[in-house]
Amino acid sequence: MSFAVLQEKINAKKNPTVMGLDPKLEYIPKHILDEVTKEFGKTKKAVGEALFRFNKGLIDACCDLVPAVKPQSAYYEMYGLDGLEALYKTVEYAKSKDLYVILDGKRGDIGSTAEAYSAAYLGETDIFGIKRKSLDCDCLTVNPYLGIDGIQPFIDDCKKYDKSIFVLVKTSNKSSGDFQDIIVKSGKTLYERVAQSIVDWGNECKSEYKYNPVGAVVGATYPEQLASLRKTMPSTFFLVPGFGAQGGAADDVKPAFDENGEGAVVNSSRAIMCAYMRYGDGRDFGERAREEVIRMRDAINEVIGK
């Protein structure tokens, strides 16, 4: 199963973290921007090249340390076709470096639309009678709030293509409780009800590996809920956002892991990508990102006993 592959990569590198790749022009060092505008002018093509060159530099600097990367699709979509090309090139380059790729798209719809989303990111699409992959990710984040109609196509492709999904449960943003903490008919919160559904959906995909391919997104900014959910979701792999720039620390993410220090991966984006900003002009952005990855790895490993 796909999460077994992720855990193997985590174990090999002794690092339960994922590097978020959420580039914006203001995050990219000036020397890269100068290079691309000299070559392509102040065009969308230059933007796409800047995004990819920045990502490539981060991957080159950290690929021996991190088991996975997580590009957030919105940061590419806002720059149009050239941004999307940068996303495709980033995924392909990360895969060439043997990294596990989680696309943070938070997709959610029903019926044939959900099938189309799943085909785009996890499966294959029929093109003139030939099955082809579009964006060959290992895993995709999805939104559960349309119920099983919006999840089943992704589960089906997880089984068919050996992929995985992370389903939103308790997100790291401050206003998550506006809806996620509402008490529903069962007497549980809405996020707890979603968590139970994820357990049920995951039971469809039982394998020899402990963790099934239907994972959960649970934010580092809510450590008590994280601890409670780990107890009620023993076979669910966790993606834990909110570390670093959003305020989550190593002690906060500890409850996400099982008794063996496994079953979770912790994301950090801006704290890694923008680490160079504390030091200089950014020509050493890869080195500074690498230092931040090592700090994050060591802090988490200390609290989980790895």
Side-chain angles (χ1 to χ4, degrees), residues 41-181:
K42 293 183 177 181
T43 62
K44 290 182 178 179
K45 176 67 174 176
V47 174
E49 281 293 318
L51 299 183
F52 177 64
R53 292 182 191 184
F54 185 45
N55 287 348
K56 184 176 182 293
L58 291 168
I59 291 170
D60 286 342
C62 301
C63 63
D64 63 319
L65 297 175
V66 297
V69 293
K70 184 178 73 65
Q72 162 54 260
S73 61
Y75 287 86
Y76 304 87
E77 292 169 15
M78 70 177 178
Y79 295 115
L81 292 177
D82 294 287
L84 288 171
E85 183 180 3
L87 174 60
Y88 276 72
K89 289 165 66 176
T90 295
V91 170
E92 288 180 352
Y93 192 71
K95 298 280 279 188
S96 77
K97 295 294 185 178
D98 197 31
L99 296 174
Y100 188 91
V101 177
I102 303 165
L103 182 70
D104 195 353
K106 299 182 177 70
R107 295 301 192 248
D109 214 306
I110 61 171
S112 59
T113 307
E115 291 172 5
Y117 275 136
S118 189
Y121 303 115
L122 301 177
E124 296 178 341
T125 302
D126 190 307
I127 301 176
F128 301 120
I130 302 172
K131 293 286 188 179
R132 299 182 186 274
K133 294 182 183 296
S134 180
L135 190 62
D136 188 21
C137 302
D138 298 293
C139 184
L140 176 69
T141 61
V142 297
N143 191 321
Y145 288 97
L146 291 168
I148 188 60
D149 293 337
I151 297 295
Q152 193 64 54
F154 298 101
I155 293 176
D156 291 343
D157 278 347
C158 284
K159 295 177 186 176
K160 186 175 181 179
Y161 298 103
D162 197 17
K163 304 288 187 174
S164 297
I165 54 174
F166 280 118
V167 184
L168 302 182
V169 177
K170 179 61 180 171
T171 55
S172 58
N173 56 302
K174 291 181 179 179
S175 66
S176 67
D178 288 356
F179 299 121
Q180 294 169 17
D181 291 355

